[in-house]
Amino acid sequence: MTHETTELESPVSIVLVDDHEMFRAGVRAEMERHRDRVTVVGEGEDVDTSVKAVMGSRPRVVLLDVHLPGGGGAEVIRRCEAQGLGSTTRFLALSVSDAAEDVISVIRAGARGYVTKSISSEDLLDAVERVSTGDAVFSPRLAGFVLDAFSGSIEVASIDEDLDRLSPREREVMRLIARGYAYKEVAKELFISVKTVETHVSNVLRKLQLSNRYELTRWATDRRLI
């Protein structure tokens, strides 16, 4: 698809929103290698700092993590829109999670796309540019979740009721464990210690009344969370 080019679109101004400083630094470094295409104008690490950064710089695109201290990515979108953020700023979710309820919640809040952190640098740049022009960008798997949700084939309310028992971090750990990640792999993916992973898994099993990771995998599979 060919997009009409405007002065505002080149380079695309972006705000990075993620609670992991190392991840933000990595994305910023990669973006700075392509200054002809994108420019980072702000960062946020939780809901409050993210809203301040977005409202202060009015970027073309906000790269938005789904799970943030203070209410999550969807809350950032709602608060920015409540404060009068114009339609020229668009939100692109960039998250380690590819679970249906995360995709659906942030899209319902107003995001124009959703990509996972496994995306390549070139594909991320392309997604940012496409979202800045008004396109909606999803991987095929995530697009399917959105279609299923809005057609009614996913019972979002029942999923939410189960997951309400878990903290955002416990949800992330639960999905990765259910997908077969070893504890060390989960720790590396989420920038936390193996001991912290073990604690989260113990809490997840207790809250969901499950006995082991095999039951957890079946539980998550039944709810289409992996």
Side-chain angles (χ1 to χ4, degrees):
M1 182 181 295
T2 301
H3 301 299
E4 180 181 355
T5 301
T6 70
E7 185 178 351
L8 284 175
E9 291 170 358
S10 183
V12 177
S13 57
I14 62 176
V15 164
L16 303 177
V17 172
D18 195 285
D19 61 338
H20 294 118
E21 184 178 357
M22 288 178 61
F23 180 78
R24 294 199 312 274
V27 174
R28 175 184 279 273
E30 187 61 31
M31 297 296 100
E32 288 179 348
R33 293 179 56 236
H34 302 276
R35 292 180 181 175
D36 57 322
R37 299 173 64 181
V38 295
T39 179
V40 178
V41 296
E43 296 185 16
E45 63 181 2
D46 54 26
V47 170
D48 288 341
T49 60
S50 300
V51 171
K52 183 177 180 179
V54 173
M55 297 306 298
S57 59
R58 307 273 175 153
R60 291 287 291 168
V61 174
V62 180
L63 280 178
L64 181 69
D65 194 11
V66 174
H67 298 141
L68 293 168
E75 180 66 14
V76 172
I77 299 175
R78 287 189 287 265
R79 284 177 51 178
C80 286
E81 292 184 347
Q83 293 183 31
L85 184 67
S87 60
T88 56
T89 294
R90 285 149 180 143
F91 293 86
L92 172 61
L94 175 63
S95 177
V96 69
S97 169
D98 60 1
E101 82 281 0
D102 284 337
V103 180
I104 294 161
S105 67
V106 77
I107 296 306
R108 282 179 167 169
R112 290 292 299 173
Y114 195 118
V115 294
T116 61
K117 290 180 178 179
S118 60
I119 193 171
S120 69
S121 296
E122 182 57 36
D123 286 345
L124 179 58
L125 285 164
D126 180 64
V128 167
E129 290 173 335
R130 288 175 57 194
V131 166
S132 77
T133 65
D135 276 359
V137 181
F138 303 92
S139 72
R141 168 181 164 85
L142 303 187
F145 285 157
V146 176
L147 291 174
D148 285 347
F150 286 97
S151 69
S153 22
I154 290 180
E155 293 294 333
V156 179
S158 63
I159 293 174
D160 286 345
E161 183 177 351
D162 288 329
L163 291 176
D164 277 346
R165 305 183 193 120
L166 307 181
S167 70
R169 179 62 85 197
E170 288 168 350
R171 296 181 193 184
E172 289 181 319
V173 171
M174 175 271 294
R175 293 186 198 103
L176 293 175
I177 290 294
R179 288 166 64 181
Y181 280 56
Y183 284 11
K184 287 183 179 179
E185 293 172 324
V186 175
K188 181 178 179 181
E189 185 78 19
L190 299 180
F191 303 99
I192 58 180
S193 70
V194 173
K195 183 174 179 60
T196 300
V197 173
E198 292 173 349
T199 299
H200 285 316
V201 171
S202 177
N203 290 339
V204 168
L205 294 176
R206 175 178 53 80
K207 290 180 179 181
L208 298 180
Q209 299 181 2
L210 301 172
S211 300
N212 52 52
R213 65 182 300 164
Y214 303 106
E215 290 186 4
L216 177 61
T217 298
R218 186 166 61 249
W219 182 91
T221 302
D222 289 345
R223 288 156 180 78
R224 301 177 66 177
L225 299 176
I226 58 175

